Amino acid sequence: MSDHGHEHDAAHEHGSGGHAGHSHGVTADADRRWLGIALTLITAFMAVEVVAGIIASSLALVSDAAHMLTDAASIVLALIAMRLAARPARGGFTYGLKRAEILSAQANGLTLLLLGAWLAYEAVRRLVNPPEVEGGLMLATALVGIVVNVVAAWCISKANRTSLNVEGAYQHILNDLFAFIGTAIAALVVVTTGFARADPIATLVVVALMFKAGYGLIRDSGRIFLEAAPADIDPDALGDKLAAQPAVVEVHDLHVWQITSGQTALSAHVLVEPGGDCHAVRRDLEKILQHDYGITHTTLQADHVPENVLQVAFPGDTADDTAHCDDSHGPVHRDEPHEH
């Protein structure tokens, strides 16, 4: 007896009730407003910094200005991705365009890595042959930049940072803040000691931070594109927990993935013991998934177990030898010792 039709209706009811949990107390309009304020601050200061960097002959200032350009681009990209993700699902895009935000996060991570590589090259070149640097102007500009980036970072922190899209823009701003702090320290060294190599050294420190942030964004967004399970969920442990529930004989074809950051989906085939209530089992499993894992987008196909699965296994048989599906994807979970 298949419960697939009833499951489909219940999944719609269950899913619609769970969407509110993705807001995290921050509306999309509020996100766009905070990002817009940060974008205005950064764009205005960037123009000033480019002029100051050229006059002071400071690579650290010019690199900060270049980084601020990517900051502005990352925020614009985030705002566009938010608009696309908010569009309703239609046609062939059955999830809508929610993964536009993940594309934005990947682009932000990639620009951090590429910009970092260019700055690393320039910094090494200046270490070998350091130019004259105007430390006073460099210091004054860096101090103003710290203030601007603190305000911009605070604005973006008010948005929903559980979104990789917003987190990408935030990481850009945060790394720019670190860059200005490094530039200010380097400028102080230049002013007090005349050591011009402090400028490219500060740049290399910031490059290391950029590589770290860029790698993190590409790694996390890549997991979503490859439909890996969320980093905080162990699918094997989850499957074992579902299989241990009353009346459940077996759970297989278990898939856990993210539609976009903060929205996890799950599907599985559940075999229920003869005489068990498939509807009740499915509802109980959905409650566990929502309460323990925060998963509300679920598709659970519940069926009564066929006779061949109930047969006593011979010594040496594995779980896969008695699986219900001929082409089962992933391990079979039962409430008994088994290999994953």
Side-chain angles (χ1 to χ4, degrees), residues 11-26 94-95 98 259-260 262-264 290 294-298:
H12 275 284
E13 294 173 7
H14 199 76
S16 63
H19 282 297
H22 299 310
S23 67
H24 301 279
V26 184
T94 56
Y95 280 128
K98 294 185 183 298
I259 300 168
T260 186
Q263 293 190 24
T264 302
Q290 181 177 16
I295 302 175
T296 57
H297 298 266
T298 58

Side-chain angles (χ1 to χ4, degrees), residues 27-28 31-32 35 70-86 97-109 111-112 156-157 159-173 213 216-218 220-222 224-225 258-263:
T27 66
D31 281 349
R32 286 193 287 268
L35 287 172
T70 66
D71 293 345
S74 72
I75 294 176
V76 170
L77 198 59
L79 289 168
I80 293 173
M82 281 181 179
R83 296 252 179 216
L84 292 175
L97 295 173
K98 294 185 183 298
R99 284 198 175 169
E101 295 191 330
I102 308 306
L103 280 171
S104 171
Q106 277 212 324
N108 284 333
T111 55
L112 280 170
I156 296 185
S157 71
N160 178 14
R161 282 182 54 209
T162 58
S163 163
L164 270 182
N165 179 43
V166 175
E167 179 65 14
Y170 180 76
Q171 286 297 333
H172 267 273
I173 302 296
L217 285 170
I218 290 178
D220 293 343
S221 58
I224 292 177
F225 277 123
Q258 287 181 282
I259 300 168
T260 186
S261 50
Q263 293 190 24

Side-chain angles (χ1 to χ4, degrees), residues 4-317:
H4 191 69
H6 293 284
E7 171 277 327
H8 184 73
D9 295 337
H12 275 284
E13 294 173 7
H14 199 76
S16 63
H19 282 297
H22 299 310
S23 67
H24 301 279
V26 184
T27 66
D29 287 340
D31 281 349
R32 286 193 287 268
R33 184 173 65 252
W34 287 115
L35 287 172
I37 293 172
L39 177 62
T40 302
L41 284 170
I42 287 169
T43 304
F45 182 73
M46 179 179 63
V48 174
E49 189 180 19
V50 170
V51 176
I54 293 173
I55 295 174
S57 296
S58 169
L59 174 63
L61 282 182
V62 173
S63 67
D64 287 343
H67 194 185
M68 290 195 89
L69 178 61
T70 66
D71 293 345
S74 72
I75 294 176
V76 170
L77 198 59
L79 289 168
I80 293 173
M82 281 181 179
R83 296 252 179 216
L84 292 175
R87 292 184 177 181
R90 60 166 61 98
F93 295 93
T94 56
Y95 280 128
L97 295 173
K98 294 185 183 298
R99 284 198 175 169
E101 295 191 330
I102 308 306
L103 280 171
S104 171
Q106 277 212 324
N108 284 333
L110 186 60
T111 55
L112 280 170
L113 293 181
L114 293 176
L115 182 61
W118 174 70
L119 292 177
Y121 168 77
E122 287 295 324
V124 171
R125 193 169 64 84
R126 287 203 171 202
L127 275 174
V128 176
N129 187 21
E132 291 293 325
V133 178
E134 180 56 52
L137 179 58
M138 179 180 168
L139 178 60
T141 307
L143 291 175
V144 176
I146 289 173
V147 175
V148 170
N149 276 268
V150 165
V151 176
W154 178 80
C155 288
I156 296 185
S157 71
K158 301 291 286 184
N160 178 14
R161 282 182 54 209
T162 58
S163 163
L164 270 182
N165 179 43
V166 175
E167 179 65 14
Y170 180 76
Q171 286 297 333
H172 267 273
I173 302 296
L174 196 62
N175 275 274
D176 214 20
L177 174 59
F178 293 147
F180 275 111
I181 293 173
T183 301
I185 294 172
L188 193 59
V189 171
V190 171
V191 169
T192 55
T193 67
F195 182 61
R197 284 187 173 89
D199 180 60
I201 290 173
T203 302
L204 287 174
V205 172
V206 174
V207 163
L209 296 173
M210 291 170 67
F211 281 152
K212 181 177 182 295
Y215 168 75
L217 285 170
I218 290 178
R219 178 198 60 208
D220 293 343
S221 58
R223 284 182 62 88
I224 292 177
F225 277 123
L226 293 174
E227 298 198 332
D232 60 339
I233 293 179
D234 180 353
D236 287 333
L238 186 153
D240 289 347
K241 186 168 187 174
L242 297 183
Q245 300 309 305
V248 176
V249 175
E250 178 180 299
V251 176
H252 59 263
D253 280 353
L254 172 63
H255 303 283
V256 189
W257 71 99
Q258 287 181 282
I259 300 168
T260 186
S261 50
Q263 293 190 24
T264 302
L266 177 145
S267 66
H269 194 179
V270 180
L271 298 185
V272 180
E273 64 186 19
D277 187 338
C278 290
H279 301 279
V281 168
R282 175 183 48 75
R283 286 194 295 268
D284 290 343
L285 295 184
E286 285 178 343
K287 289 177 182 176
I288 291 171
L289 291 170
Q290 181 177 16
H291 181 269
D292 295 355
Y293 299 94
I295 302 175
T296 57
H297 298 266
T298 58
T299 303
L300 298 176
Q301 179 182 343
D303 291 304
H304 285 128
V305 64
E307 290 300 323
N308 67 302
V309 176
L310 289 177
Q311 292 175 355
V312 177
F314 292 100
D317 283 351

